[in-house]
């Protein structure tokens, strides 16, 4: 009998460092299955196979399949977490904004900062015996503000037990999408207003109030120098204004959009629709050095309630915050 078929699953595994999946991988390493028919599955997926639980597709099982035994019931919170994460990933544009993601175990985190002057940015010739110019890195004065975002799953076990898992997954995906949008709003707020360390974005005014011209985008591009303008975030109205510019409407751009769905982007930057931004502003940034995401624990579910079939008011949450890395690597254009 394979190792994964002998593992005793219980609630305590969710309290292990790294969570349930990490605990399973430690007990049943995926590397042991390399070259076998199970080689493409992780430890959790092998447990689903063990109990013959199909979570997607035409023949997906009902929610009740998880609760055929105490061992299989222990898999349910991890299934919920993964479905929520899947929804977050589908709706998430944060990977296009965040330079680095920092995982922490606690709730207190102080980021670092380097604030070079214009003189520091120029690497001068160092004469023999002279001192080498310094780059000073220090910790921020204030802690990164972490926000818990989530949704309460309100449903009775009786209402869900005969529902197909693929349908239930759609609902969980939507919860993940809500969390992702809330986190994006937090990120946008930090980019514009700063992270509490007196570092709001410099605001550049457009030449004509209420309008965006190509010259305004060039001003945003030049203001970011020596950083690279590779990402532009715009709410719906400002997105329409940018796409209405004559420079965005040449024939080749139209053919690309109609054939592949890819829009031409201003100045080669990725143009991302971001309704979370206050109307009248767009944000330009260098995604490689503007923003740090700090998260504590990833997606967390009330595993006790879910395993015990107490689905009523079971919380699904994710705690994260954002910190600016280089303040000058993001600018706001007021339209």
């Amino acid at each position: 009998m394979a190792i994964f078929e002998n593992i005793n699953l219980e609630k305590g595994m969710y309290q292990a460092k790294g969570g349930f999946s990490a605990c399973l991988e430690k007990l049943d390493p995926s590397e042991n299955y390399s070259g076998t028919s199970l080689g493409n599955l992780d430890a959790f997926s092998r447990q689903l196979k063990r109990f013959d639980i199909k979570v997607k597709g035409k023949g997906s099982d009902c929610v009740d399949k998880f609760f055929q035994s105490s061992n299989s019931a222990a898999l349910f919170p991890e299934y919920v977490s993964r479905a929520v994460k899947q929804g977050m990933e589908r709706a998430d544009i944060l990977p296009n904004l965040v330079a680095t993601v920092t995982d922490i175990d606690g709730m207190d985190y102080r980021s670092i900062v380097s604030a070079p002057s214009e003189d520091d940015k120029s690497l001068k010739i160092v004469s023999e015996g002279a001192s080498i110019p310094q780059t000073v890195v220090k910790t921020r004065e204030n802690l990164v503000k972490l926000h818990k975002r989530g949704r309460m799953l309100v449903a009775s076990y009786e209402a869900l037990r005969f529902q197909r898992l693929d349908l239930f997954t759609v609902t969980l995906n939507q919860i993940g999408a809500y969390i992702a949008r809330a986190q994006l709003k937090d990120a946008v707020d930090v980019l514009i207003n700063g992270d509490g360390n007196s570092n709001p974005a410099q605001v550049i005014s457009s030449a004509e109030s209420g309008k965006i011209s190509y010259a305004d985008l060039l001003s945003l591009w030049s203001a970011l120098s020596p950083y690279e303008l590779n990402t532009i975030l715009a709410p719906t109205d400002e997105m329409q204004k940018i796409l209405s510019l004559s420079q965005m409407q040449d024939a080749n751009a139209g053919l690309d959009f109609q054939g592949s769905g890819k829009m031409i982007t201003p100045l080669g930057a990725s143009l991302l629709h971001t309704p979370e931004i206050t109307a009248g502003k767009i944000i330009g940034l260098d995604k490689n050095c503007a923003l740090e995401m700090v998260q504590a624990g990833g997606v967390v579910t009330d595993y006790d309630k879910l395993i015990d079939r107490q689905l009523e008011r079971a919380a699904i949450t994710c705690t994260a915050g954002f910190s600016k890395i280089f303040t000058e690597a993001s600018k706001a254009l007021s339209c």
Side-chain angles (χ1 to χ4, degrees), residues 103-117:
D103 293 295
I104 61 174
D105 293 328
M107 294 296 291
D108 293 335
Y109 177 77
R110 198 182 301 273
S111 189
I112 61 174
V113 62
S114 173
S117 65

Side-chain angles (χ1 to χ4, degrees), residues 101-157:
V101 178
T102 302
D103 293 295
I104 61 174
D105 293 328
M107 294 296 291
D108 293 335
Y109 177 77
R110 198 182 301 273
S111 189
I112 61 174
V113 62
S114 173
S117 65
E118 288 301 319
D119 189 59
D120 293 333
K121 293 176 185 177
S122 59
L123 297 182
K124 301 176 181 178
I125 296 174
V126 180
S127 302
E128 184 175 348
S131 299
I132 299 176
Q134 298 177 341
T135 295
V136 179
V137 179
K138 58 184 180 181
T139 56
R140 293 278 191 188
E141 180 180 352
N142 296 318
L143 296 172
V144 175
K145 295 178 181 177
L146 301 182
H147 302 281
K148 180 181 284 189
R149 302 293 191 184
R151 287 273 168 161
M152 196 72 73
L153 183 61
V154 182
S156 67
Y157 171 68

